[in-house]
Amino acid sequence: MKSRFENDMGYSEVTPKSVWLNRRDLLKSAGGATIAASIAGLANGATFEASKSIYSTDEELNDFEDITSYNNFYEFGTGKGDPARYAGELTTEPWSVVIDGMVENPGTYSYEDILSGAALEERIYRLRCVEAWSMVIPWIGFELGHLLKRAVPEPSAKFVAFETLVRPEEMRGQRSRFLLEWPYREGLRLDEAMNPLTILAVGLYGEELPNQNGAPIRLVVPWKYGFKSIKSIVRITLTDFQPPTTWNMQAPGEYGFYSNVNPLVDHPRWSQATERRVGSGLFARRMETQMFNGYEEYVAGLYEGMDLSTNY
Amino acid sequence: MSVPQKINGVLRKIPSWPIYILGPIPGIWVFWLALQDRLGADPLQALEHSLGERGLQLLVLTLLVTPVRRLTGVSFLKFRRAIGLVAFFYVVAHLLTWIVLDRQLDLADIWREIVKRPYITIGMAGFLAMVPLAVTSNNLSVRKMGAAAWTRLHRLAYVAAVAGAAHYLLLVKSWPTEPIVYALVVVALLMIRAWWAAQRRIARRARRAA
């Protein structure tokens, strides 16, 4: 299969790792907006000039440290720092994903097999958490549609269900069944899954995904709240019914199947109108949350005629 | 002399004023760390949560004084006022962090949130319950009000503790351990008092009958 873009140059060849590892500190010591802009330009422009996806935002990136130290991944604990602390216990090699259900080519796809022939792109996406904070993250990944097409969904398939690995020996949060029901489950409508914005990410800042970010392969659906972007996927099942999803099962009144980012539909307990951009410091202003997290032009059509306040 | 009496003898010699100086230090330290951007990716949230949690911890500590004295004979009573006032310091700092840094003094927005969000309404109620306690936490107030009225007023501490625990429980997703532990501790501390109050009532009735 022909890749749309092939880039054999890593970020590390362009921007010294020490620079992007903690850009926030660097900016602080440099202390100026002009310098901030030029470094951001170096990090994005020089490396991915040819590969920039039209879907990438040019907003300032969160630095690697923020993205890898502030995570919700309850398989490793509920604290934001728990995943960074404990996800190292997870073995991600070998890894394979079972694709089953209503597909013509069901089977166990190895990680290497999944990556071979996948057109890797850098997608700089906003991530909006249901807890009203957000980040800007340079994912490396490929369109989920590419993998689904390989599996060939049957015409009657309507939904895609995803499951995270269950391995309590290595995922200490799973030793408690009290918190959430494992495996963590997520789902999309097939047309949402086939939308070009929906990617399977395998990398971050040009490198392999750190475990706390959902290694080795995770979903990224940028117009939905972060919990929809399921991590460390081991199963993808095509169905003709709306699959059960973890947070919806935990609190159906608070987390819907769709969970599209929507500033007009509040969480029952808190507002979704604004958000705090992680990494912007103690005195940063809250930002207005955008409809569909700013991806309205690409995805609004998926929900035409639907009442988004009942289909939250 | 029994062991509790010996301990009380030692405690009597320890002054309570250092609590006013040492108590706020962890809060000032965490604020300093936040200013230095050393509280991780989201320093505001870390600061807000740290101050709020410390306030709740100290509030729980004040509610422990009476049960500990009744069950063990060891009395920390002379430290309770200081602990309570330091708890109030943390709750005020937590509230100010939310108003000034999180909501950035957008008063209309702040009012909307207080009215609309139960966890904030309850948190504010807890704060308001602590105000008269802080104001009357001095010997002059005890003298002027009389011990009985003062004690009655200071039962608002129960309201504050329940509000604090509920406030925490209402802002988390699912059922993480920490807020559940605080809630259980607060409930236990109130239940033991309710039990004692019931015992007292029964004893009084028995005396009257006799």
Side-chain angles (χ1 to χ4, degrees):
Chain A
M1 188 174 175
K2 178 82 187 82
S3 300
R4 263 181 304 179
F5 148 68
E6 275 166 25
N7 187 352
D8 53 6
M9 188 164 69
Y11 265 103
S12 52
E13 291 170 63
V14 180
T15 310
K17 188 166 182 174
S18 58
V19 172
W20 56 254
L21 264 181
N22 198 342
R23 202 156 38 89
R24 189 149 45 92
D25 281 350
L26 188 87
L27 297 189
K28 267 191 313 230
S29 55
T34 346
I35 297 161
S38 74
I39 291 170
L42 178 71
N44 311 330
T47 318
F48 279 103
E49 191 96 41
S51 67
K52 259 186 185 169
S53 164
I54 58 159
Y55 300 116
S56 285
T57 170
D58 55 8
E59 284 163 84
E60 193 188 339
L61 303 180
N62 277 94
D63 62 38
F64 185 79
E65 192 186 286
D66 286 350
I67 299 169
T68 56
S69 65
Y70 193 81
N71 306 95
N72 276 331
F73 197 172
Y74 282 20
E75 277 79 348
F76 297 103
T78 53
K80 293 282 183 290
D82 288 341
R85 214 166 293 133
Y86 302 121
E89 294 165 6
L90 174 67
T91 318
T92 58
E93 268 188 84
W95 195 275
S96 56
V97 179
V98 171
I99 304 182
D100 60 4
M102 309 177 79
V103 287
E104 283 172 27
N105 300 324
T108 302
Y109 291 67
S110 75
Y111 176 76
E112 293 73 22
D113 180 29
I114 290 170
L115 277 197
S116 70
L120 287 185
E121 282 181 42
E122 184 198 46
R123 296 280 180 102
I124 304 172
Y125 281 159
R126 288 176 291 276
L127 178 140
R128 170 61 157 78
C129 179
V130 74
E131 297 165 0
W133 53 265
S134 63
M135 289 193 188
V136 177
I137 304 178
W139 302 108
I140 305 293
F142 57 92
E143 290 174 12
L144 171 64
H146 157 76
L147 183 62
L148 293 181
K149 277 180 204 151
R150 275 184 65 187
V152 190
E154 291 171 2
S156 47
K158 295 280 182 296
F159 292 90
V160 189
F162 304 86
E163 274 181 30
T164 296
L165 177 72
V166 179
R167 195 182 283 162
E169 319 86 84
E170 294 183 356
M171 304 169 102
R172 55 177 69 209
Q174 289 179 339
R175 291 170 206 167
S176 156
R177 298 213 136 247
F178 180 54
L179 205 57
L180 292 174
E181 203 183 313
W182 316 113
Y184 192 91
R185 274 165 272 205
E186 261 310 333
L188 295 171
R189 239 168 42 195
L190 186 55
D191 56 349
E192 295 176 321
M194 299 301 289
N195 187 285
L197 281 180
T198 306
I199 60 166
L200 286 172
V202 293
L204 175 67
Y205 263 113
E207 299 208 338
E208 282 188 352
L209 270 186
N211 285 2
Q212 60 266 39
N213 295 86
I217 187 161
R218 65 167 293 168
L219 186 69
V220 178
V221 197
W223 72 92
K224 292 176 180 282
Y225 293 119
F227 68 84
K228 292 294 289 182
S229 293
I230 184 170
K231 302 182 178 84
S232 304
I233 297 168
V234 292
R235 178 176 233 108
I236 299 176
T237 309
L238 280 280
T239 66
D240 57 1
F241 58 88
Q242 181 178 303
T245 56
T246 296
W247 280 104
N248 181 246
M249 290 155 68
Q250 203 276 330
E254 301 192 345
Y255 312 100
F257 174 79
Y258 285 97
S259 288
N260 293 317
V261 176
N262 189 338
L264 305 174
V265 177
D266 284 341
H267 185 282
R269 289 180 286 145
W270 57 80
S271 165
Q272 296 291 23
T274 60
E275 63 200 51
R276 254 170 337 97
R277 181 60 55 83
V278 166
S280 55
L282 195 56
F283 301 103
R285 292 200 73 80
R286 299 184 73 90
M287 304 167 65
E288 304 271 314
T289 291
Q290 303 178 73
M291 189 66 204
F292 296 114
N293 201 23
Y295 298 99
E296 191 166 10
E297 57 176 310
Y298 306 114
V299 300
L302 293 167
Y303 310 102
E304 230 167 325
M306 278 174 65
D307 181 349
L308 295 177
S309 59
T310 50
N311 295 289
Y312 53 89
Chain B
M1 208 161 55
S2 70
V3 175
Q5 282 172 327
K6 274 185 213 152
I7 296 175
N8 287 340
V10 175
L11 289 177
R12 259 194 295 278
K13 290 191 197 104
I14 302 173
S16 65
W17 61 263
I19 293 175
Y20 293 106
I21 296 165
L22 299 176
I25 287 177
I28 293 165
W29 174 243
V30 80
F31 185 63
W32 171 252
L33 290 180
L35 285 176
Q36 301 293 307
D37 205 357
R38 280 161 58 196
L39 282 184
D42 195 351
L44 175 53
Q45 196 196 51
L47 175 66
E48 216 166 62
H49 287 183
S50 158
L51 295 172
E53 188 166 4
R54 192 79 68 202
L56 183 54
Q57 283 167 355
L58 293 169
L59 198 52
V60 166
L61 220 52
T62 64
L63 293 189
L64 267 168
V65 170
T66 296
V68 165
R69 193 190 51 202
R70 289 198 53 166
L71 295 173
T72 69
V74 177
S75 175
F76 291 92
L77 193 58
K78 67 176 289 194
F79 305 109
R80 187 169 66 182
R81 174 183 293 169
I83 298 170
L85 283 168
V86 174
F88 185 66
F89 163 82
Y90 278 96
V91 169
V92 169
H94 171 70
L95 178 61
L96 284 176
T97 304
W98 180 70
I99 289 175
V100 178
L101 295 176
D102 194 337
R103 295 288 147 182
Q104 312 212 313
L105 293 170
D106 182 342
L107 296 180
D109 172 60
I110 287 166
W111 179 247
R112 245 192 335 267
E113 288 286 298
I114 290 173
V115 174
K116 199 172 174 193
R117 313 286 166 202
Y119 84 92
I120 295 176
T121 317
I122 289 171
M124 282 303 294
F127 160 72
L128 291 176
M130 288 180 85
V131 172
L133 306 188
V135 171
T136 58
S137 282
N138 51 72
N139 293 337
L140 182 67
S141 294
V142 182
R143 269 198 304 275
K144 278 184 126 173
M145 293 176 69
W150 187 92
T151 305
R152 226 176 3 255
L153 176 70
H154 278 247
R155 291 200 186 124
L156 277 174
Y158 309 154
V159 175
V162 168
H167 172 65
Y168 192 177
L169 210 50
L170 274 173
L171 63 83
V172 294
K173 298 185 334 210
S174 186
W175 301 100
T177 318
E178 294 88 340
I180 292 176
V181 169
Y182 284 112
L184 290 178
V185 169
V186 168
V187 167
L189 289 174
L190 295 191
M191 290 222 326
I192 197 169
R193 285 171 163 83
W195 169 254
W196 284 331
Q199 297 284 310
R200 274 197 301 275
R201 260 197 306 279
I202 291 165
R204 221 178 298 138
R205 214 169 297 150
R207 267 202 309 277
R208 228 175 288 144

